Amino acid sequence: DQQVKQNSPSLSVQEGRISILNCDYTNSMFDYFLWYKKYPAEGPTFLISISSIKDKNEDGRFTVFLNKSAKHLSLHIVPSQPGDSAVYFCAASRGGKLIFGQGTELSVKP
Amino acid sequence: GAGVSQSPSNKVTEKGKDVELRCDPISGHTALYWYRQSLGQGLEFLIYFQGNSAPDKSGLPSDRFSAERTGGSVSTLTIQRTQQEDSAVYLCASNEGTGGEAFFGQGTRLTVV
């Protein structure tokens, strides 16, 4: 039972353009959502989060949008940079337990 | 310590042997998580410790897997009678237990030959 799903295993974007990474979840009881970035041979690092009571959170080039009725969240990166190339994981939390999606590999081409 | 520390960073073991993986969380963090990432796969939840509560073991794939957290700090993940399908990167994370940002260690790459 995959409660958090990232249906796109990969995404390729041109430098300077917008990257949009998507995530769907099934459990309406999740109360906090997070995005992590992972480089090869390293542990995931936290990027940005959003509480279930909000619909948008912005931090520099990164914006997370939450659509609770659709059980969907997305991460926008603009402008995309080659250093953004990594695997991005969305995660959802309920009662402290963190469940991750399968990840989307983003490639930003110069 | 400054971050979550995991040891060893790499472990090669023969099929059928037992292995122990260690995680030192960030000091003061009450929640500790173990995840596994197999080749080409996502982060698979294994187990979650929160303070003195009974751990959530719902992600452990078989009874060959067990984990302890002694004194609310260091955790050990034990895999008995390892199988080749256990080969993966095992990641540990900790946070303050509020469900917010969790900090990850570098992981232990386990290879069962």
Side-chain angles (χ1 to χ4, degrees):
Chain A
D1 176 26
Q2 190 71 33
Q3 296 188 63
V4 180
K5 297 180 184 179
Q6 294 176 257
N7 292 316
S8 297
S10 63
L11 175 68
S12 183
V13 171
Q14 205 69 30
E15 180 179 7
R17 298 291 185 96
I18 185 170
S19 296
I20 300 176
L21 298 113
N22 294 302
C23 180
D24 296 292
Y25 60 96
T26 57
N27 190 340
S28 59
M29 300 300 290
F30 287 134
D31 53 15
Y32 204 71
F33 302 90
L34 308 92
W35 284 94
Y36 280 78
K37 177 179 179 180
K38 186 180 185 300
Y39 293 117
E42 294 183 10
T45 55
F46 171 76
L47 202 52
I48 192 169
S49 63
I50 188 167
S51 165
S52 62
I53 62 173
K54 303 212 170 164
D55 55 19
K56 177 182 174 181
N57 187 27
E58 188 173 353
D59 183 3
R61 296 186 297 115
F62 303 91
T63 303
V64 56
F65 295 92
L66 176 62
N67 182 334
K68 286 177 64 179
S69 61
K71 296 192 180 68
H72 178 84
L73 70 155
S74 61
L75 174 68
H76 292 209
I77 306 172
V78 56
S80 302
Q81 300 173 353
D84 295 330
S85 297
V87 177
Y88 289 77
F89 291 96
C90 68
S93 172
R94 178 178 178 232
K97 180 177 175 180
L98 281 173
I99 302 296
F100 284 82
Q102 306 95 312
T104 296
E105 184 171 9
L106 174 66
S107 176
V108 181
K109 303 199 180 300
Chain B
V4 178
S5 176
Q6 291 187 246
S7 60
S9 54
N10 280 284
K11 176 73 176 178
V12 180
T13 190
E14 291 182 352
K15 178 181 171 181
K17 294 285 179 70
D18 297 352
V19 294
E20 284 190 352
L21 312 180
R22 177 186 169 104
C23 173
D24 280 279
I26 292 172
S27 177
H29 279 185
T30 59
L32 186 147
Y33 309 80
W34 282 99
Y35 295 89
R36 167 170 85 170
Q37 187 177 23
S38 303
L39 189 63
Q41 302 298 310
L43 294 175
E44 178 188 3
F45 168 80
L46 297 178
I47 188 169
Y48 162 53
F49 295 90
Q50 172 53 53
N52 296 321
S53 302
D56 181 337
K57 304 179 182 180
S58 60
L60 295 178
S62 77
D63 59 8
R64 296 187 296 105
F65 288 72
S66 63
E68 289 186 343
R69 189 177 185 196
T70 53
S73 181
V74 171
S75 177
T76 302
L77 177 69
T78 302
I79 309 173
Q80 296 178 310
R81 305 182 302 281
T82 52
Q83 303 295 312
Q84 287 185 329
E85 61 263 28
D86 300 334
S87 296
V89 176
Y90 289 80
L91 290 156
C92 175
S94 71
N95 68 13
E96 294 175 343
T98 56
E101 175 187 356
F103 297 84
F104 279 83
Q106 296 286 78
T108 294
R109 180 175 295 278
L110 175 67
T111 304
V112 182
V113 298

